[in-house]
């Protein structure tokens, strides 16, 4: 007896729905994409109970006539492609002709539509695949589709829907993607009758981002654009301080379609390397335009993935454009002054305020006068870690005779002042206000740059230790030692066998004089054993230099002499990218007098 039968159309649609319609958010996506393909400039989305009860999408697009509205909900019906040739260059968001049929097979759907050249409209209702008559009705030009009670006849699938709140976050996410990809569109979204978003068409992308995310996100973006090699790229790149712990705020759009792509994600990650810790993600909005023929969108049921015919080109272009922008931008972190006021509320009367301000200024003048620098101090060599711990009074508030002002070439440079606090931070007065420098992070960046430059040019000096220092090694460490002779040599390390399972450090890099040679080599071997197989040679060397810089840098809690601070500040001037340590954390926070005045309610 034969057991194979042909599935009826409704079964086919229900199965297809399993792929494209997962939850109310997917309904929103499909309906809104249809509205965009219909040329709508205004789309209203209304949702009830997180979309579980209702998803309604109304647009002022081209509409459907009597015949089309009857046909649109049939499987494999589309107005967007006709022949296989069309598949090679898809310019619309939809093309498979399965979304409406899928949705109508798993929910109660009502559609009304009217074309511009028709005096009246038409409506149709389909209840879980059961299609009603097409009826005339009166309505505005455009289309409204209402989808009620998704999966109500499929308890197995309905059960998988989450709470209204969770479903709503998915709806908002879909809305966000459309809103970002189409700043020209007038878009509204409401939930249970309450308007959540009302985004006017023609709004700038930055304004949209501020509305969809936050003002802080919008203000933390840097714009870059490029047109090269058949690729147009517009990027809004988050400054490192607004980075996230996940890649959720990395939005990639290809010709107006939100996509996920591992090559592009990798390029973003690489672009941010050295600006961010490995576990942090840059906020990125990336808009790529390229010929439709250069990629295939017909590879994923929801078309969220595409196949680039030249993925390497896309990767290298994105990486180059982003990296260049990040490297060429001053990424100094802006310090935020907490709103908390200490003590009583400031005086509000204008005269009192003046008096108050004057008192502060007088007190500050007095304070700085008392701590005038001793001019023309001798500068001595900075030996990290070898600081003679002198008293705080001696170290504070002295002008650095050799410290270049932050903006050279000014007519009257402000006198630079600094103060080490808690043996960890250096407060420096600047023209605009003051900066707080993280001494470890800054020195780490300087050392990283110096090490990198000298290692690559083969000019890293090393010193012979007076007495070789020996220590035991594990099998893994031994193996790492044998396999990475080149790296050790580059770092000026001479490590030789010294008996069974024992090795000795004979020479050590002069730049790392702040570290204990045995501890350093031990950790280095562990790192090489751990990462050796995973990273290519260049990346591995970079990791090693990173580690060396971290270990070799002056520590938090280390008291510095005046001349050491001077030297640190001078080296900072000469150092590239000194505003971030090699892990991407800021090395300094800037505060402006203007902000202070605002906080003290003096403006
Ligand atoms: P696809 O978008 O892949 O063509 P759909 O099932 O989503 O398939 O839609 C089927 C057809 O219905 C579309 O090709 C389009 O002609 C028509 N259609 C759907 N939604 C709208 C709309 N909002 N306005 C005008 N026409 C629409
Ligand atoms: Mg569609």
């Amino acid at each position: 007896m034969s057991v194979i039968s042909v599935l009826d159309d409704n079964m086919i649609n229900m199965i297809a729905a399993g792929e494209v319609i997962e939850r109310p958010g997917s309904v929103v996506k499909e309906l809104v994409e249809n509205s965009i393909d219909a040329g709508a400039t205004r789309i209203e989305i209304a949702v009830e109970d997180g979309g579980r009860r209702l998803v309604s999408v109304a647009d002022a697009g081209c509409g459907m006539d009597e015949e089309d509205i009857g046909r649109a909900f049939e499987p494999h019906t589309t107005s967007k492609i006709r022949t296989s040739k069309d598949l090679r260059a898809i310019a619309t968001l939809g093309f498979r002709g399965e979304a409406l049929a899928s949705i109508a097979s798993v929910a109660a759907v009502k559609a009304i539509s009217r074309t511009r050249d028709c005096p009246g409209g038409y409506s149709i209702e389909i209840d879980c695949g059961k299609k009603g008559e097409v009826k005339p009705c009166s309505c505005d030009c455009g289309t409204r589709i209402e989808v009620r009670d998704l999966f109500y006849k499929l308890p197995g699938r309905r059960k998988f829907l989450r709470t209204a709140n969770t479903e709503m976050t998915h709806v908002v996410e879909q809305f966000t993607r459309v809103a970002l990809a189409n700043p020209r569109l007038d878009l509204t979204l409401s939930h249970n009758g309450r308007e959540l978003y009302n985004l006017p068409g023609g709004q700038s992308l930055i304004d949209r981002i501020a509305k969809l995310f936050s003002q802080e996100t919008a203000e933390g973006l840097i714009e870059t654009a490029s047109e090269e090699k058949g690729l147009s790229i517009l990027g809004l790149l988050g400054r490192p301080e607004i980075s996230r712990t996940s890649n959720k705020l990395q939005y990639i759009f290809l010709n107006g379609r939100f996509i996920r792509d591992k090559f592009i994600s990798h390029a973003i990650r690489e672009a941010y390397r050295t600006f961010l810790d490995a576990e942090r993600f840059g906020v990125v909005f990336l808009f790529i335009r390229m010929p439709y023929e250069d990629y295939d969108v017909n590879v994923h049921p929801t078309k969220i993935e595409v196949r680039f015919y030249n993925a390497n080109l896309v990767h290298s272009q994105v990486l180059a454009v982003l990296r260049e922008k990040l490297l060429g931008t001053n990424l100094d972190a802006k310090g935020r002054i907490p709103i908390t006021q200490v003590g009583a509320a400031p005086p509000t009367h204008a005269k009192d305020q003046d008096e108050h301000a004057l008192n502060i200024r007088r007190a500050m003048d007095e304070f700085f006068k008392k701590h005038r620098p001793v001019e023309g101090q001798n500068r001595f060599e900075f030996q990290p870690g070898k600081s003679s711990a002198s008293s705080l009074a001696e170290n504070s508030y002295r002008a650095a005779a050799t410290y270049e002002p932050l903006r050279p070439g000014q007519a009257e440079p402000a006198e630079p002042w600094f103060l080490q606090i808690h043996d960890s931070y250096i407060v420096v007065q600047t023209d605009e206000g003051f900066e707080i420098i993280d001494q470890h992070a800054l020195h780490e960046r300087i050392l990283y740059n110096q090490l990198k430059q000298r290692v690559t040019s083969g000019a890293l000096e090393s010193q012979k230790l007076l007495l070789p220092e020996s220590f035991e090694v594990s099998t893994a460490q031994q193996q790492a030692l044998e396999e990475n002779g080149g790296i050790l040599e580059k770092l000026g390390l001479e490590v030789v066998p010294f008996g069974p399972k024992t090795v000795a450090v004979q020479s050590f890099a002069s730049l790392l004089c702040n570290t204990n040679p045995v501890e350093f080599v031990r950790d280095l071997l562990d790192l090489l054993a751990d990462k050796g197989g995973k990273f290519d040679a260049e990346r591995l060397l970079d990791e090693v230099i990173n580690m060396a810089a971290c270990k070799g840098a002056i520590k938090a809690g280390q008291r510095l002499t005046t001349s050491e601070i001077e030297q640190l500040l001078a080296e900072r001037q000469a150092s590239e990218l000194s505003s971030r340590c090699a892990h991407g954390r800021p090395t300094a926070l800037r505060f402006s007098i203007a902000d202070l005045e605002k906080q003290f309610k003096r403006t």
Side-chain angles (χ1 to χ4, degrees):
M1 197 184 88
S2 79
V3 288
I4 299 177
S5 60
V6 179
L7 297 176
D8 67 33
D9 277 353
N10 200 39
M11 280 296 287
I12 292 171
N13 293 339
M14 280 164 73
I15 291 167
E19 286 203 317
V20 286
I21 306 300
E22 192 193 348
R23 55 185 359 138
S26 345
V27 176
V28 170
K29 171 183 186 284
E30 293 299 335
L31 296 184
V32 172
E33 287 190 353
N34 279 345
S35 298
I36 295 171
D37 284 344
T41 51
R42 177 170 176 77
I43 304 173
E44 288 169 20
I45 305 159
V47 166
E48 285 175 19
D49 193 27
R52 295 146 39 110
R53 190 162 57 233
L54 171 74
V55 170
S56 157
V57 173
D59 66 54
C62 65
M64 287 176 274
D65 64 16
E66 182 177 7
E67 203 178 332
D68 279 346
I69 198 170
R71 216 178 258 167
F73 294 87
E74 297 291 330
H76 315 299
T77 49
T78 180
S79 55
K80 300 169 195 175
I81 53 169
R82 290 196 185 280
T83 66
S84 62
K85 215 171 106 233
D86 298 335
L87 265 181
R88 280 183 236 148
I90 290 164
T92 46
L93 292 166
F95 62 91
R96 292 209 188 106
E98 61 184 6
L100 290 188
S102 299
I103 294 169
S105 72
V106 293
V109 175
K110 178 174 182 190
I112 56 173
S113 193
R114 189 185 133 196
T115 57
R116 254 160 239 144
D117 47 15
C118 190
Y122 294 91
S123 75
I124 185 169
E125 287 185 30
I126 306 111
D127 186 7
C128 287
K130 251 214 254 122
K131 214 167 115 181
E133 299 274 289
V134 175
K135 294 179 191 157
C137 68
S138 75
C139 61
D140 291 335
C141 288
T143 305
R144 172 192 300 274
I145 297 184
E146 293 171 356
V147 178
R148 286 179 198 278
D149 304 320
L150 186 66
F151 302 140
Y152 83 98
K153 279 194 183 162
L154 298 166
R157 302 226 35 207
R158 179 95 188 164
K159 200 174 70 195
F160 279 101
L161 295 187
R162 297 299 154 118
T163 60
N165 273 348
T166 306
E167 291 305 337
M168 203 52 209
T169 57
H170 290 279
V171 169
V172 169
E173 176 61 24
Q174 294 298 342
F175 179 82
T176 300
R177 293 173 187 176
V178 170
L180 289 172
N182 303 278
R184 287 173 306 101
L185 285 185
D186 251 337
L187 288 169
T188 58
L189 172 65
S190 67
H191 186 213
N192 296 336
R194 199 169 67 88
E195 188 176 88
L196 298 185
Y197 294 100
N198 183 349
L199 307 177
Q203 204 176 22
S204 78
L205 255 175
I206 293 284
D207 286 346
R208 251 186 199 192
I209 289 169
K211 278 250 173 95
L212 291 164
F213 301 95
S214 67
Q215 193 62 35
E216 193 199 354
T217 306
E219 281 172 7
L221 297 171
I222 320 157
E223 186 175 326
T224 182
S226 110
E227 281 240 42
E228 229 184 300
K229 301 184 182 155
L231 243 81
S232 131
I233 298 176
L234 168 67
L236 297 171
L237 315 181
R239 291 172 163 275
E241 65 260 30
I242 62 163
S243 67
R244 298 296 180 109
T245 51
S246 81
N247 64 355
K248 262 203 76 172
L249 253 65
Q250 290 184 350
Y251 284 85
I252 306 165
F253 299 93
L254 173 63
N255 290 339
R257 185 191 302 279
F258 173 86
I259 59 161
R260 285 192 206 292
D261 184 78
K262 59 178 191 297
F263 291 101
I264 297 176
S265 295
H266 182 267
I268 294 175
R269 182 165 269 266
E270 281 298 294
Y272 272 92
R273 199 149 69 85
T274 70
F275 292 102
L276 289 180
D277 259 355
E279 70 275 12
R280 309 242 359 137
F281 296 80
V283 171
V284 173
F285 300 93
L286 199 60
F287 302 84
I288 301 174
R289 297 218 156 255
M290 65 195 283
Y292 300 112
E293 297 83 7
D294 289 354
Y295 61 95
D296 187 358
V297 308
N298 195 15
V299 293
H300 189 277
T302 63
K303 308 169 205 110
I304 198 164
E305 283 171 19
V306 301
R307 188 182 296 131
F308 290 110
Y309 296 132
N310 191 348
N312 285 338
L313 173 76
V314 177
H315 180 272
S316 63
Q317 270 305 104
V318 170
L319 174 57
V321 172
L322 268 55
R323 184 85 185 147
E324 189 179 317
K325 187 66 193 180
L326 290 171
L327 284 172
T329 305
N330 177 0
L331 294 173
D332 276 359
K334 265 195 168 176
R336 236 171 299 126
I337 299 166
I339 313 290
T340 349
Q341 288 169 14
V342 182
T348 46
H349 192 274
K351 191 168 156 282
D352 285 352
Q353 267 187 16
D354 287 349
E355 190 77 3
H356 184 66
L358 210 66
N359 282 341
I360 291 179
R361 194 157 285 165
R362 266 196 218 117
M364 280 175 76
D365 283 351
E366 224 14 63
F367 191 74
F368 282 121
K369 234 185 257 157
K370 264 199 217 145
H371 296 85
R372 277 276 155 206
V374 186
E375 294 292 337
Q377 276 199 45
N378 283 338
R379 195 177 154 215
F380 38 93
E381 229 10 75
F382 176 38
Q383 284 282 315
K386 304 251 159 68
S387 71
S388 55
S390 40
S391 79
L392 184 63
E394 233 177 58
N395 287 339
S396 317
Y397 297 104
R398 327 191 85 162
T402 50
Y403 171 44
E404 300 272 315
L406 278 174
R407 282 203 268 131
Q410 282 176 306
E412 253 186 78
E415 229 169 59
W417 294 93
F418 54 74
L419 157 70
Q420 187 188 28
I421 55 171
H422 292 275
D423 293 343
S424 298
Y425 298 99
I426 300 162
V427 182
V428 184
Q429 185 178 319
T430 64
D431 289 350
E432 292 81 21
F434 64 95
E435 282 183 294
I436 303 178
I437 294 172
D438 178 334
Q439 63 187 40
H440 170 72
L442 174 59
H443 192 222
E444 185 183 331
R445 162 55 79 180
I446 291 169
L447 259 190
Y448 173 88
N449 288 356
Q450 291 175 341
L451 282 165
K452 185 135 195 165
Q453 196 252 322
R454 293 189 202 176
V455 163
T456 30
S457 66
L460 188 65
E461 306 87 20
S462 105
Q463 277 173 327
K464 270 231 171 315
L465 299 185
L466 282 178
L467 280 178
E469 294 193 38
S470 64
F471 64 101
E472 259 185 60
V473 283
S474 68
T475 318
Q477 288 172 329
Q478 178 112 38
Q479 201 178 335
L481 180 60
E482 281 158 20
E483 285 169 4
N484 294 286
I487 288 191
L488 271 84
E489 198 181 319
K490 280 192 175 133
L491 285 175
L493 300 175
E494 201 184 338
V495 182
V496 294
F498 203 72
K501 293 247 157 219
T502 307
V503 296
V505 186
Q506 281 191 316
S507 303
F508 201 64
S510 324
L511 263 181
L512 300 176
C513 60
N514 203 22
T515 53
N516 172 311
V518 169
E519 251 171 54
F520 180 84
V521 173
R522 215 182 248 144
D523 288 352
L524 173 65
L525 294 179
D526 282 344
L527 180 127
L528 292 171
D530 182 34
K531 309 251 165 96
K534 294 182 202 146
F535 293 159
D536 60 31
E538 194 190 336
R539 178 87 193 269
L540 188 62
L541 186 63
D542 196 52
E543 289 282 320
V544 167
I545 292 175
N546 241 316
M547 178 193 124
C550 183
K551 288 191 176 295
I554 50 175
K555 304 279 176 290
Q558 184 174 336
R559 184 159 304 173
L560 303 177
T561 63
T562 306
S563 56
E564 284 170 347
I565 297 176
E566 282 170 17
Q567 185 166 351
L568 193 61
L569 296 175
E571 283 181 351
R572 175 193 197 208
Q573 298 285 307
S575 199
E576 265 180 33
L577 289 172
S578 62
S579 62
R580 303 254 145 210
C581 79
H583 303 295
R585 287 189 290 273
T587 60
L589 300 176
R590 269 184 297 129
F591 295 87
S592 73
I593 285 293
D595 283 343
L596 275 187
E597 282 172 349
K598 236 192 268 162
Q599 294 292 314
F600 281 118
K601 312 269 187 250
R602 291 173 60 184
T603 49

